[in-house]
Amino acid sequence: MGELVRVEGLSKVHYAAGLLKRRARVVRAVDDVSLAIRHNTILGLVGESGSGKSTLARAMLYLDPPTAGSVIIDGLDPAALSRSQMRQFRHRAQIVVQDPYAALNPRLSIAASVAEGLRNRGFPRRARERRVAELLEMVGIASRRARDNPQQFSGGQRQRVIIARALAMDPRFLILDEPVSSLDVSIQAQIINLLLDLKQRLALTYLFISHDLNLVAYMSDAIAVMKDGRIVEMGDAAEVIAQPHDPYTQMLFDNAPRLLDVRPGRI
Amino acid sequence: MESTPRGDPAAVLRLEALTVSFTGNGGPIRAVRGVDITLQAASVHALVGESGAGKSVSAKAVLGLLPRSATCGGRILFHDTDLLSLPARSLRAIRGKRIAMVFQQPDKHLNPTMRVGSQVAEVLRYHNGIERREALLQARSLLDMVELNGREVLRSFPHELSGGMKQRVAIASAIACRPEVLIADEPTTALDATIQSQILALLDRVRRELGTAILFISHDLPLVRGFADDVSVLYAGRIVEQATSRELFSCAHHPYTDRLIAATPDPARRGERLAAIRGSVPDPQDVPPGCAFAPRCPMAADRCRVEVPLLRLSENADVSQRRSACHFAEQLVCEGLHNG
């Protein structure tokens, strides 16, 4: 299968103007990043806080448009799109973020939250309700709970609702930005399994962002390591884990505590 | 249950049948429901479990930092003194001096308006009655000891430091009085991976050089495996398994521990499905009767739903002292999956 996502020379530069300073300080949050993600695979993106992972994600989706470089997702180049085409682009590429407690409107039932995007896409009421029930079932939420508000759900269940909401747009590409880092281990495993199932079932492609090396190494097909806004290493997951070339990547993997001793590629 | 013989010279801190409950709207919330732990000098005992298991509440009970709405039962023996029956004044003389603590978010426990040096020095002035100049000198060498540039950092404000540096400052003030016990509640959770291992190395140095016993609270199994000598696994306010780290991670003797290990992602599991535990942690106001894990347990039988399993030595135990609170601990077969 070919590439679904291609990013070339992407940069995001902020100008941090000091209050009393004449000249603004240039902050290269993302610096000349190029990457490609094959259709129906997972690219894991690791790096420490402040390395630019989330900024890259937002720039790729043009939520915060990049200052340089190009993005093509599923054949669409957001820089060259008309308004209506841009809407298409927004449907095809969705993002799921970390905090399941902040990402849902507390005053809407979960069904209403999931239905919002469908309404924007012009789904008539009946079809909308049917689709919401389908989506909730797909992420493992009983449809009898569709009228409940987010407060009545646990963190893991909320994350399921957020995933359902993203899926409502029939996306081809999902950016998962630390989707499980606020969840307990046993719940985290449920959500990870769900994400892997959905990827197979709906032929999705993921950019999976996490600071948890074990998790990224477990689920990614390819791994990119980010440091100071740049990608310092990228390649097939098994190879990056077994033989990292970049000294920073080596240090990162050597410092990661392990639960199991077997390292793939090292035995 | 008596975990160690009385007068064990190495036992610094013993929790005996510790219970903690809070008054809630719908009746009492029993957060800790009978916990026995022995902490040995110069060793690391980890408390692991998911949120709501009672890890932090147990630690706060030791420090006497629970809110007024909490009621404690059992005993917390620091050497031979029961901290639970100690008047607040005497407890203050121990807390921060002989039993110190490090928390997850160092910023919350550092005063943003005070220079770092004065904050570390304050501990020494309060507990040891040292005058200011001398205390600042000692603070500087403490900061050097936690691998900061003491001379510079002494004059810094917390906001000028990175997260890792702030945690080092917090450790410096925690070890200022050479404590016998250090309670570390998720001390590296908010830090990046590389900083995390540096902080653990530092805590390990404190353990070796000062002989401090560390009660290490964490939800991170890989981290615990590498750092702790002994591990207590908590579930819904009770210890379900207690063993040396080596024993625990080579073969779990409780289904919860086993499932928790199997649910943890690891590069060696690529391509496998994670063993998610169905359901979620019980509401502390509505803990199921019998074994609290039974509704989620793949091995549960009728007996589990009525009879609370006691934490006991395994019947086919060899020389090891590992304990499990499962009626069917003997039937758990280790597949050698997590050979350590």
Side-chain angles (χ1 to χ4, degrees), chain A residues 44-252:
Chain A
L45 181 61
V46 293
E48 309 206 324
S49 45
S51 60
K53 306 186 295 289
S54 297
T55 311
L56 171 63
R58 293 185 59 82
M60 279 173 69
L61 299 188
Y62 271 64
L63 298 168
D64 268 331
T67 43
S70 70
V71 177
I72 292 178
I73 296 175
D74 198 17
L76 296 178
D77 173 1
L81 296 178
S82 70
R83 242 194 149 128
S84 67
Q85 287 170 317
M86 195 63 192
R87 204 168 295 144
Q88 272 296 322
F89 175 82
R90 295 239 181 276
H91 294 170
R92 283 191 210 175
Q94 290 281 315
I95 184 163
V96 172
V97 294
Q98 177 173 1
D99 189 355
Y101 292 91
L104 288 170
N105 184 340
R107 303 185 61 175
L108 288 184
S109 72
I110 58 155
S113 278
V114 175
E116 221 171 6
L118 296 171
R119 182 180 296 133
N120 294 341
R121 288 170 69 195
F123 269 59
R125 205 177 71 112
R126 273 286 164 73
R128 216 159 60 211
E129 280 170 3
R130 207 166 45 232
R131 184 74 182 129
V132 167
E134 242 171 55
L135 287 162
L136 288 177
E137 190 233 347
M138 203 187 298
V139 298
I141 300 273
S143 53
R144 67 183 155 80
R145 300 206 55 192
R147 299 280 146 221
D148 291 352
N149 283 3
Q151 302 83 287
Q152 290 159 275
F153 293 90
S154 66
Q157 288 171 319
R158 287 182 206 204
Q159 201 57 291
R160 289 175 189 270
V161 173
I162 292 163
I163 293 166
R165 187 178 61 178
L167 296 178
M169 311 313 285
D170 292 320
R172 305 254 294 146
F173 175 55
L174 281 186
I175 295 187
L176 306 162
D177 191 355
E178 303 271 7
V180 294
S181 45
S182 62
L183 304 175
D184 274 324
V185 180
S186 68
I187 309 301
Q188 171 179 310
Q190 293 172 2
I191 301 293
I192 293 299
N193 284 341
L194 172 68
L195 289 169
L196 292 174
D197 290 344
L198 291 170
K199 172 186 162 264
Q200 286 318 107
R201 196 165 152 190
L202 306 172
L204 295 167
T205 304
Y206 294 157
L207 176 66
F208 185 86
I209 302 177
S210 177
H211 68 281
D212 183 338
L213 286 169
N214 288 327
L215 179 56
V216 167
Y218 161 74
M219 67 184 285
S220 310
D221 299 293
I223 294 179
V225 181
M226 217 168 162
K227 185 176 191 292
D228 301 332
R230 294 176 152 268
I231 286 185
V232 294
E233 176 137 13
M234 182 159 51
D236 177 73
E239 280 171 29
V240 171
I241 300 162
Q243 285 162 330
H245 292 298
D246 174 75
Y248 175 73
T249 313
Q250 275 166 22
M251 182 180 73
L252 217 51

Side-chain angles (χ1 to χ4, degrees), chain B residues 7-18:
Chain B
D8 177 353
V12 194
L13 185 74
R14 285 204 306 273
L15 313 191
E16 289 182 359
L18 177 71

